[in-house]
Amino acid sequence: MNKVFTFFVMFFLLTSQGIANPYTSFNSVLDALSTQDAQKSLDIFTKDFGQVISGGTFGVGDALGPLGVYASLKISYRSISKDNIIVKDTDSKGLFFPMLHFCIGLPYDFNTILRLSRFDDTTIIGAGLLYELFRPKAVIVPAISLQSVYNNACANTDSNEFKAWNLKNSILLQFSKIPLLKPYVGLNYDITHLSAYTSKYAGMSSDVNGFGYGAGLSVSLGVFNFIFDVFTYSDEPTYSFGMFMSF
């Protein structure tokens, strides 16, 4: 168990190093635009950023029970929108975040969710709740859960500073009774707010919201497991891959 935990920590640290920062053109791109175009570009950037910081919120579709624990390292990747010139100006092809993600079982069919990341000069702290609405007895019937997760992000790289939060409200159907393989599908409603703290448009903010949908698969290999999903929001996919322990 100690070796597995050490692997989680080392992998998290390694993935947090040496990748080009996609936010270094935040000020320069906005500064070159008119107010109307700057607002439009900020809205597009907010949409993509909100999805990548909230990527990988799924994984446990049923209540863990009191003191049940799910600990994971998740990596989310968001394909950037074609009009996201803030990120494209840095020659980045997408947005990427590793995330430490934990679920802890509570009484009355609740799980609490905790998330943490430090990557690309950006700190993300998240928390939420899952409630198992329906627990099946048959293998072919999915568990139904409601989930709400809040993620707060603060970015400051080379004097390009912005702050954002995302609230992802979801309904999740997971076939939790299937041995080894546990497929799931979900529907999200996202709200993202982002505020610029630098550039000549410091104080400008953006609010975007909308529905997303997707599917994934959890593979159980004893204590050590894997998970992968794809969720689409505004016609662009967000991919999440994770390694987790549950006990």
Side-chain angles (χ1 to χ4, degrees):
M1 185 67 69
N2 289 336
K3 291 181 179 179
V4 173
F5 180 76
T6 301
F7 176 79
F8 267 65
V9 174
M10 291 300 298
F11 189 81
F12 178 78
L13 293 174
L14 288 172
T15 55
S16 300
Q17 306 296 323
I19 298 176
N21 193 303
Y23 313 124
T24 53
S25 293
F26 185 83
N27 291 345
S28 59
V29 169
L30 291 180
D31 285 345
L33 300 175
S34 66
T35 301
Q36 182 177 357
D37 288 340
Q39 183 67 67
K40 180 180 178 180
S41 293
L42 195 65
D43 290 344
I44 296 170
F45 177 80
T46 299
K47 175 182 62 180
D48 287 344
F49 188 76
Q51 290 306 297
V52 75
I53 67 173
S54 62
T57 57
F58 291 138
V60 175
D62 50 3
L64 294 171
L67 302 182
V69 176
Y70 167 106
S72 64
L73 168 66
K74 295 189 174 181
I75 299 171
S76 63
Y77 176 85
R78 168 74 174 178
S79 300
I80 60 173
S81 302
K82 63 180 181 179
D83 296 325
N84 190 341
I85 59 176
I86 293 175
V87 176
K88 286 189 174 181
D89 192 70
T90 64
D91 294 325
S92 298
K93 303 302 181 182
L95 299 177
F96 167 87
F97 269 104
M99 184 79 65
L100 293 174
H101 180 104
F102 304 92
C103 293
I104 301 172
L106 300 175
Y108 305 110
D109 297 328
F110 281 96
N111 293 340
T112 186
I113 300 167
L114 302 173
R115 291 161 58 85
L116 177 65
S117 180
R118 173 64 184 174
F119 184 71
D120 279 341
D121 299 315
T122 304
T123 300
I124 302 171
I125 299 175
L129 282 175
L130 176 144
Y131 175 65
E132 186 178 18
L133 190 64
F134 172 76
R135 177 174 298 181
K137 295 182 179 180
V139 172
I140 61 173
V141 179
I144 302 176
S145 299
L146 302 178
Q147 178 176 287
S148 184
V149 180
Y150 174 87
N151 291 279
N152 187 79
C154 299
N156 189 349
T157 177
D158 298 333
S159 299
N160 296 269
E161 183 178 3
F162 59 89
K163 296 182 180 180
W165 57 262
N166 171 277
L167 180 64
K168 185 180 290 290
N169 302 298
S170 312
I171 181 169
L172 178 66
L173 282 70
Q174 184 173 47
F175 292 89
S176 56
K177 297 294 184 181
I178 298 178
L180 302 180
L181 302 179
K182 302 180 186 299
Y184 57 90
V185 295
L187 176 67
N188 309 323
Y189 181 74
D190 280 84
I191 304 170
T192 305
H193 173 86
L194 186 145
S195 296
Y197 279 69
T198 50
S199 84
K200 72 178 184 181
Y201 294 109
M204 178 179 284
S205 63
S206 172
D207 293 278
V208 298
N209 57 79
F211 286 96
Y213 58 90
L217 182 68
S218 175
V219 182
S220 299
L221 300 173
V223 175
F224 203 36
N225 308 271
F226 298 90
I227 191 166
F228 175 78
D229 62 42
V230 181
F231 275 79
T232 299
Y233 178 89
S234 190
D235 298 326
E236 294 292 343
T238 301
Y239 303 93
S240 297
F241 174 78
M243 299 171 290
F244 69 92
M245 297 178 295
S246 59
F247 44 91

